[in-house]
Amino acid sequence: MSLPVPQLAQAMLVPVLPILVIFGAMVLFGELGPLPAVLYGALLAAVGAAFAVRHARELWHVAEFAGRLASDADAALPRPGSSFIAVALVHAIARLHRDLAAERRRLVSEAAASDAVLDSLPDPLLILDADRRVQRANQAAANLFGGALQGRELIQVLRHPAVLDAVKAVLAGGAGSRQIEFVLPVPVSREFSARAVALRQASGRPVAILALQDLTAVKRAEEMRADFVANASHELRTPLATLIGFIETLQGPARDDAEARTRFLGIMREQAERMARLIRDLLSLSQIEMNEHTLPQGQVDVREAIGFVVDMLQIQANAKGMQIEVDAGPGLPPVVGDSDELIQVFQNLLDNAIKYGRRDTKVVVSIKAPRGVAMPGRGSALTVAVADRGEGIAREHLPRLTERFYRVDSARSRALGGTGLGLAIVKHIVNRHRGSLTIDSVEGEGSTFTVFLPIVETGQVTAV
């Protein structure tokens, strides 16, 4: 392989130039005549040029070898001849390349181990540069904020003024760390504690670590305890007073009245069962609210779940001469959800339809595939509508039906065994599933409760 002409000329000029200078000086001072000087100079120049060409070729092969190593191409050791310098250079370059490759593998391994440690943390964590751009984010942060976070500005990921101010302060050196609490209102309200800490890189530029801790479960537990005490004390007051009154009566005037004792014990049994239902529903609602911020990861066959509920309530419907009709098309996709919770939703809706529907009428359950049905920002949804033929509900009551203990007709609701919590439970379960609930009613004709549930999208991984 020949050297390019410019490199060859430069290689020859390096040993020839000092020879020409020396012989020129000798001619100038009269030490040699012009002809001998030219002859000796030409001879030495030829020898120097031959030496330069030989070593220049070897050095060129060494340079090519280094270039192939730099581009990560396969590079076999060249045969540089007998030059000790070229052989030493080739082996030194190969050794340096091996050392650098080993160091790179070590750094890649350490980076992978660091990423694994960050991803194993249960709480979201972001590492931000001096411009508040995300340098690294763990898996918990990706699950919370969605999508690829690296390279995005913090304001694009988390738009909360207090958090942005805290990160800005620690990056500016005004504080070693800042800790704040804030609320993310969508898709469901969640409360977090954020801690921002500033670090200095080797280059001197600051970076900030933003660690988030989800406080929702703790806050919900505190609210649950307070709500449970308030609701239980309010709703249990009446049945407890009734029980105490009947007990006192049975211990006093009706002590020997067998007929009164039988009637009073029946009423006391009803009141005790009502308290048991109330406590059961309160505990169920509290548990649902505590987990409302976490999206279920399972898949549910809605047709199968509704079939189970229909079988369970068929005796209750037969007692009123009512029929439960299920209208479901073929090929219904599964929905993302918790099977037990969705069964509870359908059970509460069907139970209400049977309780408040007229005797000898139908309760119709319609299940529709998601063709053309979608929720804003949530993709396609399966719809489940439960329609009864009851007295209907006045329009002014509809917005408040899912409130705790709200009853359109309190006396009738209690007489039918209602606790006033059924629709509140439905609302919170549907919220946890990132679905929605709509209520339509016409007085004198009946009511329709429609649940929208997100379906399992193609390629979506969920637990079974």
Side-chain angles (χ1 to χ4, degrees), residues 17-29:
L17 186 60
I19 296 174
L20 295 177
V21 171
I22 292 172
F23 278 93
M26 294 177 69
V27 172
L28 180 64
F29 290 103

Side-chain angles (χ1 to χ4, degrees), residues 150-165:
Q150 190 165 350
R152 295 169 61 185
E153 293 185 9
L154 179 60
I155 194 172
Q156 297 175 315
V157 177
L158 182 55
R159 297 187 179 185
H160 196 283
V163 177
L164 298 175
D165 290 344

Side-chain angles (χ1 to χ4, degrees), residues 354-388:
I354 295 171
K355 284 179 180 177
Y356 299 106
R358 297 190 187 95
R359 297 184 65 87
D360 303 319
T361 59
K362 283 185 179 181
V363 174
V364 180
V365 183
S366 302
I367 314 172
K368 294 184 180 179
R371 288 187 293 272
V373 180
M375 294 177 294
R378 306 183 196 178
S380 300
L382 195 74
T383 62
V384 180
V386 178
D388 65 60

Side-chain angles (χ1 to χ4, degrees), residues 302-303 306 326-333 335 365-373 380-385 450-453 455:
V302 172
R303 185 204 299 268
I306 289 178
V326 179
D327 179 14
L332 295 174
V335 300
V365 183
S366 302
I367 314 172
K368 294 184 180 179
R371 288 187 293 272
V373 180
S380 300
L382 195 74
T383 62
V384 180
T450 305
V451 174
F452 297 81
L453 297 170
I455 67 167

Side-chain angles (χ1 to χ4, degrees), residues 225-422:
R225 286 192 292 269
D227 289 344
F228 184 84
V229 171
N231 292 326
S233 62
H234 174 74
E235 291 294 322
L236 294 177
R237 184 182 298 116
T238 299
L240 280 174
T242 303
L243 286 174
I244 293 171
F246 282 127
I247 290 171
E248 291 175 348
T249 303
L250 290 174
Q251 289 177 333
R255 177 181 301 175
D256 299 322
D257 189 337
E259 182 179 350
R261 182 169 59 250
T262 301
R263 186 173 72 256
F264 291 166
L265 287 174
I267 297 173
M268 292 168 66
R269 180 189 179 94
E270 291 177 0
Q271 294 299 317
E273 289 175 348
R274 178 187 166 196
M275 286 192 294
R277 288 194 302 270
L278 181 62
I279 292 173
R280 183 180 63 247
D281 285 352
L282 278 172
L283 292 174
S284 176
L285 181 58
S286 298
Q287 184 65 35
I288 292 165
E289 287 181 327
M290 185 179 298
N291 297 326
E292 190 173 349
H293 62 287
T294 60
L295 181 66
Q297 297 299 314
Q299 296 185 20
V300 179
D301 184 329
V302 172
R303 185 204 299 268
E304 182 179 328
I306 289 178
F308 176 80
V309 174
V310 170
D311 291 341
M312 186 166 47
L313 298 178
Q314 192 63 59
I315 295 177
Q316 182 179 335
N318 292 341
K320 291 186 65 175
M322 302 175 73
Q323 296 179 4
I324 303 176
E325 181 180 299
V326 179
D327 179 14
L332 295 174
V335 300
V336 180
D338 180 283
S339 179
D340 291 338
E341 289 188 356
L342 290 183
I343 286 176
Q344 190 173 8
V345 167
F346 304 140
Q347 180 179 346
N348 286 357
L349 294 179
L350 275 169
D351 183 64
N352 282 349
I354 295 171
K355 284 179 180 177
Y356 299 106
R358 297 190 187 95
R359 297 184 65 87
D360 303 319
T361 59
K362 283 185 179 181
V363 174
V364 180
V365 183
S366 302
I367 314 172
K368 294 184 180 179
R371 288 187 293 272
V373 180
M375 294 177 294
R378 306 183 196 178
S380 300
L382 195 74
T383 62
V384 180
V386 178
D388 65 60
R389 296 293 177 265
E391 299 299 328
I393 305 167
R395 184 167 297 275
E396 63 268 20
H397 295 294
L398 297 182
R400 301 190 60 189
L401 285 180
T402 56
E403 294 180 11
R404 292 185 180 198
F405 303 114
Y406 185 83
R407 300 178 177 92
V408 177
D409 185 342
S410 298
R412 185 185 179 197
S413 175
R414 289 194 177 95
L416 294 173
T419 62
L421 295 173

Side-chain angles (χ1 to χ4, degrees), residues 139-261:
Q139 189 59 47
N143 293 339
L144 175 62
F145 299 113
L149 301 179
Q150 190 165 350
R152 295 169 61 185
E153 293 185 9
L154 179 60
I155 194 172
Q156 297 175 315
V157 177
L158 182 55
R159 297 187 179 185
H160 196 283
V163 177
L164 298 175
D165 290 344
V167 173
K168 183 177 180 180
V170 298
L171 286 173
S177 66
R178 286 282 186 90
Q179 186 161 356
I180 59 170
E181 292 187 6
F182 66 98
V183 177
L184 290 180
V186 291
V188 294
S189 180
R190 299 177 68 176
E191 300 186 44
F192 289 89
S193 171
R195 183 178 180 82
V197 180
L199 298 176
R200 291 284 173 180
Q201 292 179 311
S203 62
R205 287 175 62 83
V207 297
I209 296 179
L210 182 63
L212 306 180
Q213 182 182 7
D214 194 342
L215 302 178
T216 308
V218 176
K219 298 290 187 180
R220 292 279 171 84
E222 294 174 357
E223 295 174 0
M224 179 188 71
R225 286 192 292 269
D227 289 344
F228 184 84
V229 171
N231 292 326
S233 62
H234 174 74
E235 291 294 322
L236 294 177
R237 184 182 298 116
T238 299
L240 280 174
T242 303
L243 286 174
I244 293 171
F246 282 127
I247 290 171
E248 291 175 348
T249 303
L250 290 174
Q251 289 177 333
R255 177 181 301 175
D256 299 322
D257 189 337
E259 182 179 350
R261 182 169 59 250

